[in-house]
């Protein structure tokens, strides 16, 4: 079967070499290579068609799913006859029974004995003088029911595997369907139509034409009139089960197939385009033309993939695991990079890996300082009644049996110091939260050295140990800050109200303080509004919080206002999640029990995350909405008369002390709010940064054997090797394709088969190349006109325009 264009003949072996380059990766990675995938149901005759191509029995047979891994079958025309597996390159198989056994063994090696499947292909190359250059992928047969110990979803697994192959635009589909079943129920054609609805890539094969009921035939299908395909149908007659068991010679079966078509009254007129030999010849022609059309696109895809891999393997290409010099250099680079990543995450100077989904690093620490810490301080306030009761007892106990004419300053000092001591708890909690966030940043940045697990573990241990030491020191220093406040009560502070102004401050109330602030917007955002009906459920609304009101709108455009709520006398309380929503909830309510919204005494709001709730609570604090205070229940042994006094002079003294304590605590709280974040930054965050910058490398070398620290993780080693293999495969594939002489290939298309000049028996005899297609059969016509006239007894038709070929008649 001589071809006039040897450049075209070389295309299929070129793609075979590219396919081998990717198959050697040992994974299920597959590039979009031009190929032919064989699809069909069980017992459709796929194996018989492939064996007829080769002329040998070499495929496993049996009940159930026999083909459990894709088989890439590469047929290569060669004077010698033998087979080679890609995983056994050095071994030539002359006995094709041994080929069958090797396929079974290699299948079981990957999939096991439980009839499972795998997408990792087996590459088989068959050299023979009786074949044409052709590459096909034999896929598992479509099945409906799991048999034996097969997984229950075996149908889904096989379907997904087949779609992975035939879904590629560069893949031709050989849909094998038995002629003795209804074509409309063909699983192969159904799947082909899913990915190729126009039938442009599908080649139909009808098997078992000899088993059709007497008086019926498949002529309409073979004439491409019923369920037409762009590339048409080819009919074949395979050996029956009796012939296979009896080891009937395939060559005799091919001769019987030829006689069947010649002698059959329905197929006699189309016998020259039926049969296994014609199918093999057609597939060779169409695959070659398909490769030529897709080769430029394939080259571009490989170049893009290689460019992407260049960046990924840049650190791997020159890697030598046993080179001490490279280990030392890599160790220093990774430690330096780790320190720089932590610093950038805290300082916020990195735009490389900025998260757009959540706060992280320094931003979270900033929120802890300015939202969470102030809110924790406010939450510690006790009930007003409890405060006044303590002041009353302090005044009484200081006066003793005497009647006090003046307000004792010792009562102020006792109550103020008690309140100051309570600042230690939120301050310590602030340190804990910041340290936890810093530890989280360290763990995340340590992911950059995950390739070396022992080095990562040592880095985290050293930094976290140092951080914990500084944490203890910070807590001691912050405790000293509170002790400083307890040591000396500076009643001469410029912001302190003083005894003379305490009573005047009590009469002014909170309204004047708010008036001095003015009405301005504090926060805007979405909140879950849970006061809707049970039928509608919660809904998201746009809320605007100002210094004296809370408004909500339909959306962020703020055009349709739903309601406005004044904040006077409003408190905030935490709520538990319900079965309706798992959001974090909080409620607003009036202290005097009035309705908040319509008939609701509580406004039920929520957020999707706890951080958002904390931010809103902090904003409500700025607007003067304080959290709910826990009321202390009266002890049964406590005399109610002791908790209240009818003495006007004592009440005046209590009010004066209360105003003094409130004024002084504002001064102390303001100082603590300012100094605690500064102390944490100086004693923990900045100290950790200095440690990583100046001492971490020396501590790493002092910790132990650097060779052991630079021991690579097994998974990372496998990843590196796989990446390098993939890079080498892409590079080799691009080199192979670059060797193709596109000028030679483009000189002439592969000659199409002429229906009046094809003799399967004489297919191997040299003869002049046939003319362009002039018969039927749905064979893909040339897409460009020939540039040179091929010698033939019947000259080809001359197209009307050079760019558009004349379509063959149907």
């Amino acid at each position: 079967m001589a071809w006039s264009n040897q450049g075209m003949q070389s295309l299929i072996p070129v793609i075979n070499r590219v396919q081998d380059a990717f198959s050697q990766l040992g994974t299920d990675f597959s590039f979009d290579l031009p190929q032919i995938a064989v699809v069909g149901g069980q017992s459709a005759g796929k194996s018989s068609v492939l064996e007829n191509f080769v002329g040998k029995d070499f495929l496993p047979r049996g009940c159930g799913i026999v083909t459990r891994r894709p088989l890439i079958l590469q047929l290569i025309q060669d004077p010698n006859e033998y087979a080679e597996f890609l995983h056994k390159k050095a071994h030539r198989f002359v006995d094709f029974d041994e080929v069958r056994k090797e396929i079974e063994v290699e299948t079981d090696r990957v999939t096991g004995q439980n009839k499972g499947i795998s997408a990792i292909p087996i590459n088989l190359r068959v050299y023979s003088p009786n074949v044409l250059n052709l590459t096909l992928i034999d896929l598992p047969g479509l099945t409906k029911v799991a048999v034996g110990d097969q997984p229950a979803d075996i149908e889904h697994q096989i379907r997904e595997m087949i779609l992975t192959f035939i879904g590629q635009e560069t893949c031709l589909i050989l849909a094998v369907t038995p002629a003795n079943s209804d074509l409309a129920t063909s699983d192969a054609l159904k799947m082909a139509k899913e990915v190729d609805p126009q039938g442009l890539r599908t080649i139909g094969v009808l098997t078992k034409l000899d088993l059709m009921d007497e008086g019926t035939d498949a002529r309409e299908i073979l004439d491409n009139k019923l369920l037409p395909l762009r590339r048409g149908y080819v009919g074949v007659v395979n050996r029956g089960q009796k012939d296979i068991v009896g080891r009937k010679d395939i060559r005799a079966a091919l001769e019987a197939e030829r006689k069947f078509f010649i002698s059959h009254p329905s197929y006699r007129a189309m016998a020259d385009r039926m049969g296994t030999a014609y199918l093999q010849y057609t597939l060779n022609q169409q695959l070659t033309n398909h490769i030529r059309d897709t080769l430029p696109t394939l080259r571009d895809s490989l170049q893009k993939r290689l460019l992407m891999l260049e960046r990924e393997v840049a650190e791997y290409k020159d890697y030598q695991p046993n080179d001490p010099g490279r280990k030392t250099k890599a160790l220093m680079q990774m430690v330096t990079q780790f320190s720089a990543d932590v610093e950038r995450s805290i300082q916020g100077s990195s735009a490389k890996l900025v998260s757009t989904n959540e706060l992280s690093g320094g931003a979270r620490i900033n929120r802890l300082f300015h939202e969470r810490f102030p809110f924790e301080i406010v939450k510690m306030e006790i009930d007003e009644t409890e405060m006044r009761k303590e002041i009353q007892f302090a005044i009484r106990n200081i006066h003793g049996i005497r009647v006090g004419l003046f307000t004792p300053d010792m009562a102020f000092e006792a109550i103020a110091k008690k309140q100051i001591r309570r600042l230690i708890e939120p301050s310590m909690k602030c340190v804990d939260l910041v340290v936890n966030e810093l530890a989280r940043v360290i763990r995340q940045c340590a992911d950059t050295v995950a390739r070396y697990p022992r080095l990562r573990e040592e880095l985290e241990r050293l930094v976290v140990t140092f951080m914990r030491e500084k944490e203890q020191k910070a807590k001691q220093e912050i405790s000293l800050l509170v002790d400083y406040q307890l040591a000396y009560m500076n009643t001469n502070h410029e912001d302190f109200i003083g005894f003379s102004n305490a009573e005047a401050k009590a009469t002014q109330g909170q309204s004047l303080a708010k008036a001095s602030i003015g009405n301005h917007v504090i926060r805007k955002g979405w909140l879950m509004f849970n006061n809707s009906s049970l039928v509608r459920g919660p809904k998201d609304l746009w809320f605007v919080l100002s210094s004296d009101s809370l408004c909500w709108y339909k959306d962020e455009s703020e055009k349709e206002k739903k309601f406005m709520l004044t904040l006077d006398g409003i408190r905030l309380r935490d709520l538990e999640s319900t079965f309706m929503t798992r959001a974090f909830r909080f409620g607003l309510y009036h202290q005097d029990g009035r309705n908040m919204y319509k008939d609701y005494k509580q406004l039920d709001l929520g957020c999707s995350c706890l951080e958002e709730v904390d931010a809103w609570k902090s904003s409500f604090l700025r607007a003067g909405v304080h959290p709910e205070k826990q009321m202390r229940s009266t002890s049964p042994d406590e005399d109610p008369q002791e908790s209240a006094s009818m003495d006007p002079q004592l009440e005046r003294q209590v009010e004066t002390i209360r105003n003094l304590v409130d004024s002084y605590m504002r001064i102390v709280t303001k100082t603590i709010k300012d100094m605690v974040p500064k102390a944490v930054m100086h004693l923990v965050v900045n100290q950790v940064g200095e440690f990583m910058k100046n001492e971490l490398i020396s501590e790493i070398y002092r910790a132990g054997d650097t060779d052991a620290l630079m021991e690579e993780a097994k998974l990372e080693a496998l990843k590196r090797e796989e990446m390098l293999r993939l890079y080498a495969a892409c590079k080799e594939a691009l080199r192979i394709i670059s060797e193709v002489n596109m000028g030679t290939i483009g000189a002439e298309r592969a000659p199409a088969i002429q229906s009046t000049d094809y003799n399967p028996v004489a297919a191997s005899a040299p003869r002049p190349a046939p003319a362009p297609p002039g018969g039927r059969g749905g064979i893909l016509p040339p897409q460009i006109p020939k540039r040179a006239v091929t010698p033939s007894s019947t000259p080809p038709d001359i197209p009307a325009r050079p760019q558009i070929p004349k379509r063959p008649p149907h």
Side-chain angles (χ1 to χ4, degrees):
M1 203 170 285
W3 288 62
S4 61
N5 190 348
Q6 294 303 318
M8 289 291 285
Q9 271 285 67
S10 66
L11 282 181
I12 294 178
V14 164
I15 296 301
N16 287 347
R17 291 164 62 193
V18 175
Q19 183 73 63
D20 290 349
F22 287 118
S23 296
Q24 287 176 331
L25 295 176
T27 65
D28 58 356
F29 172 83
S30 60
F31 207 78
D32 290 352
L33 298 175
Q35 54 197 3
I36 299 177
V38 185
V39 183
Q42 291 188 31
S43 303
K46 295 191 289 79
S47 298
S48 297
V49 170
L50 297 180
E51 287 181 338
N52 288 349
F53 285 169
V54 177
K56 298 287 185 180
D57 290 317
F58 68 96
L59 293 176
R61 294 181 180 273
C63 299
I65 302 177
V66 178
T67 304
R68 294 185 285 128
R69 288 176 60 184
L71 176 66
I72 299 177
L73 178 61
Q74 300 174 356
L75 305 180
I76 301 173
Q77 199 169 43
D78 191 86
N80 302 315
E81 189 174 58
Y82 62 94
E84 282 183 350
F85 286 95
L86 189 61
H87 62 273
K88 282 191 173 183
K89 265 193 168 182
H91 185 72
R92 290 189 175 185
F93 291 82
V94 179
D95 186 354
F96 281 79
D97 288 337
E98 294 295 326
V99 173
R100 180 191 302 109
K101 293 178 182 177
E102 182 60 29
I103 293 175
E104 294 173 348
V105 170
E106 181 64 14
T107 299
D108 292 341
R109 184 184 66 82
V110 174
T111 62
Q113 302 286 341
N114 63 344
K115 297 294 184 182
I117 64 171
S118 171
I120 301 176
I122 300 175
N123 280 60
L124 173 62
R125 182 173 295 176
V126 176
Y127 297 84
S128 174
N130 304 313
V131 300
L132 292 176
N133 290 340
L134 191 60
T135 301
L136 304 107
I137 301 178
D138 185 23
L139 297 172
L142 295 164
T143 185
K144 299 292 184 184
V145 181
V147 178
D149 54 359
Q150 290 177 350
D153 62 339
I154 188 67
E155 179 185 2
H156 176 73
Q157 291 185 26
I158 294 176
R159 178 181 173 82
E160 290 300 314
M161 180 195 296
I162 294 175
L163 289 176
T164 300
F165 282 91
I166 67 176
Q168 300 172 4
E169 290 296 326
T170 56
C171 180
L172 299 180
I173 306 169
L174 191 66
V176 181
T177 304
N180 59 349
S181 63
D182 190 355
L183 194 67
T185 63
S186 170
D187 292 329
L189 288 174
K190 179 183 176 183
M191 291 195 67
K193 198 169 184 61
E194 290 181 20
V195 297
D196 181 30
Q198 303 299 323
L200 302 178
R201 297 187 285 119
T202 305
I203 307 167
V205 176
L206 283 185
T207 61
K208 304 183 180 180
L209 290 169
D210 56 330
L211 300 182
M212 296 184 69
D213 293 339
E214 189 174 352
T216 61
D217 58 53
R219 186 177 179 86
E220 281 195 357
I221 301 173
L222 295 174
D223 277 336
N224 210 18
K225 294 179 180 178
L226 182 66
L227 295 177
L229 299 174
R230 178 67 178 83
R231 299 174 184 266
Y233 292 85
V234 178
V236 297
V237 176
N238 298 325
R239 293 177 298 166
Q241 187 63 33
K242 180 179 179 181
D243 298 333
I244 294 173
V245 174
R247 304 301 293 267
K248 180 179 180 179
D249 184 62
I250 292 181
R251 298 196 176 279
L254 292 176
E255 178 63 23
E257 178 190 49
R258 188 182 71 86
K259 291 180 179 179
F260 170 81
F261 285 113
I262 292 175
S263 60
H264 196 284
S266 298
Y267 307 133
R268 183 182 301 128
M270 59 179 71
D272 55 345
R273 50 189 175 89
M274 293 291 117
T276 301
Y278 177 81
L279 175 61
Q280 186 177 184
Y281 187 82
T282 301
L283 294 180
N284 172 276
Q285 167 199 332
Q286 297 203 18
L287 180 59
T288 302
N289 293 339
H290 185 58
I291 292 172
R292 196 194 87 100
D293 294 338
T294 58
L295 206 57
T297 304
L298 177 61
R299 180 190 287 110
D300 292 341
S301 300
L302 281 172
Q303 287 174 340
K304 291 178 182 178
R305 187 62 184 267
L306 192 65
L307 185 62
M308 293 174 57
L309 290 173
E310 280 279 3
R311 304 189 190 102
E312 297 181 17
V313 303
E315 58 177 314
Y316 296 146
K317 285 194 295 185
D318 299 326
Y319 179 76
Q320 297 179 6
N322 297 322
D323 186 351
R326 289 189 179 276
K327 281 186 177 182
T328 302
K329 180 180 178 181
L331 174 63
M332 296 186 66
Q333 287 178 339
M334 289 185 177
V335 175
T336 303
Q337 184 64 40
F338 167 71
S339 303
D341 288 344
V342 174
E343 182 180 2
R344 282 194 294 265
S345 180
I346 299 299
Q347 299 299 330
S349 59
S350 173
K352 182 180 179 182
L353 298 175
V354 172
S355 174
T356 58
N357 299 321
E358 62 176 358
L359 294 180
S360 60
R364 291 173 66 94
I365 293 176
N366 181 66
R367 168 177 276 187
L368 292 174
F369 286 156
H370 301 295
E371 293 184 1
R372 184 70 180 272
F373 179 47
F375 184 73
E376 293 294 333
I377 290 179
V378 174
K379 281 201 310 184
M380 77 173 190
E381 292 182 0
I382 63 171
D383 186 81
E384 188 69 24
T385 304
E386 182 69 19
M387 168 75 78
R388 293 180 180 278
K389 188 187 300 182
E390 290 178 356
I391 295 173
Q392 187 181 121
F393 286 148
I395 293 174
R396 284 180 168 184
N397 290 331
I398 289 172
H399 286 160
I401 61 173
R402 297 170 295 159
V403 176
L405 299 178
F406 303 100
T407 304
D409 57 352
M410 293 179 62
F412 156 72
E413 186 171 337
I415 298 299
K417 285 185 176 180
K418 182 176 181 181
Q419 296 302 311
I420 292 172
R421 290 190 185 93
R422 299 179 67 232
L423 291 172
I424 293 180
E425 181 180 352
S427 301
M428 296 298 106
K429 187 172 184 179
C430 178
V431 178
D432 291 335
L433 292 173
V434 173
V435 168
N436 290 338
E437 180 58 33
L438 190 56
R440 179 171 172 266
V441 170
I442 292 170
R443 286 193 301 271
Q444 288 180 343
C445 294
D447 288 340
T448 58
V449 295
R451 182 174 164 189
Y452 305 99
R454 296 189 63 180
L455 175 62
R456 174 181 179 173
E457 181 181 348
E458 191 64 22
L459 282 175
E460 287 191 36
R461 186 188 68 81
L462 289 172
V463 178
V464 171
T465 300
F466 180 83
M467 182 183 64
R468 294 300 179 186
E469 293 174 359
K470 295 303 176 182
E471 176 190 4
Q472 296 303 318
K473 184 177 179 181
K475 288 184 175 180
Q476 294 173 4
E477 294 294 333
I478 290 174
S479 296
L480 284 177
L481 289 178
V482 178
D483 292 340
Y484 297 157
Q485 299 293 336
L486 294 171
Y488 177 63
M489 306 291 290
N490 183 15
T491 55
N492 198 32
H493 195 280
E494 59 183 4
D495 294 332
F496 186 57
I497 192 174
F499 277 85
S500 60
N501 297 323
E503 186 174 357
K505 175 67 174 66
T507 60
Q508 290 176 356
Q510 190 179 8
S511 59
L512 293 178
K514 274 199 165 185
S516 63
I517 298 175
N519 185 22
H520 63 278
V521 174
I522 297 176
R523 188 179 185 87
K524 295 182 178 182
W526 293 97
L527 281 174
M528 187 178 296
F529 186 77
N530 299 312
N531 289 93
S532 303
S533 63
L534 291 175
V535 177
R536 295 182 180 179
K539 59 181 178 180
D540 292 333
L541 295 176
W542 181 259
F543 281 75
V544 177
L545 173 65
S546 61
S547 55
D548 62 357
S549 65
L550 176 67
C551 304
W552 56 90
Y553 301 83
K554 182 179 180 181
D555 51 40
E556 64 269 27
S557 64
E558 300 182 13
K559 294 181 179 179
E560 185 179 343
K561 182 184 289 187
K562 295 290 186 181
F563 199 79
M564 185 179 75
L565 178 70
T566 58
L567 300 180
D568 290 336
I570 290 181
R571 291 281 179 163
L572 182 147
R573 63 161 62 109
D574 291 324
L575 302 176
E576 296 181 356
S577 300
T578 64
F579 72 94
M580 293 289 293
T581 174
R582 305 304 300 174
F584 297 92
R585 300 166 57 230
F586 63 95
L588 300 177
Y589 67 98
H590 276 293
Q591 288 180 285
D592 55 8
R594 289 184 287 122
N595 289 342
M596 288 286 295
Y597 170 72
K598 295 183 179 180
D599 295 332
Y600 296 98
K601 293 186 178 297
Q602 177 175 274
L603 194 64
D604 191 344
L605 306 175
C607 299
S608 59
C609 64
L610 183 59
E611 291 180 353
E612 285 296 317
V613 173
D614 291 339
W616 275 100
K617 287 179 180 177
S618 177
S619 299
F620 275 110
L621 283 177
R622 292 173 58 191
V625 179
H626 293 268
E628 178 183 36
K629 300 185 187 325
Q630 299 295 328
M631 299 296 293
R632 187 177 68 88
S633 60
T634 304
S635 173
D637 299 332
E638 184 178 355
D639 186 358
Q641 297 297 326
E642 292 186 4
S643 62
S645 173
M646 301 302 292
D647 185 358
Q649 182 178 351
L650 181 60
E651 286 298 318
R652 179 183 57 80
Q653 293 176 346
V654 168
E655 187 67 24
T656 301
I657 294 295
R658 176 68 186 90
N659 289 331
L660 291 173
V661 171
D662 185 59
S663 175
Y664 195 79
M665 284 304 299
R666 278 200 297 270
I667 297 172
V668 174
T669 301
K670 182 178 179 180
T671 303
I672 293 297
K673 286 180 181 179
D674 181 57
M675 293 303 298
V676 168
K678 292 178 178 179
V680 174
M681 285 298 300
H682 174 67
L683 298 172
V684 180
V685 180
N686 292 345
Q687 290 290 330
V688 169
E690 291 295 324
F691 170 76
M692 290 190 296
K693 186 184 298 182
N694 300 326
E695 301 179 25
L696 184 56
I697 291 180
S698 60
E699 290 292 333
I700 285 288
Y701 279 101
R702 191 181 296 117
D705 185 8
T706 56
D707 289 338
L709 292 177
M710 295 301 291
E711 184 177 344
E712 197 174 26
K714 292 182 179 179
L715 290 178
E716 289 296 325
L718 292 174
K719 178 183 175 182
R720 185 189 73 250
E721 293 174 2
E722 182 176 340
M723 187 69 68
L724 289 174
R725 287 201 309 269
L726 180 57
Y727 174 76
C730 287
K731 198 170 183 179
E732 175 66 13
L734 193 59
R735 184 192 64 79
I736 293 170
I737 293 178
S738 299
E739 292 177 354
V740 177
N741 187 345
M742 291 301 294
T744 304
I745 293 174
E748 183 181 350
R749 299 281 274 173
I753 192 69
Q754 186 180 10
S755 60
T756 58
D757 191 34
Y758 181 76
N759 184 356
V761 178
S764 60
R767 58 184 176 87
R776 297 167 295 173
I779 304 303
L780 184 66
Q783 298 179 9
I784 60 174
K786 298 181 179 180
R787 300 181 182 178
V789 179
T790 304
S792 174
S793 58
T794 304
D797 295 336
I798 299 176
R801 291 191 298 174
Q803 291 81 7
I804 305 176
K806 184 176 179 181
R807 299 176 66 88
H810 290 281

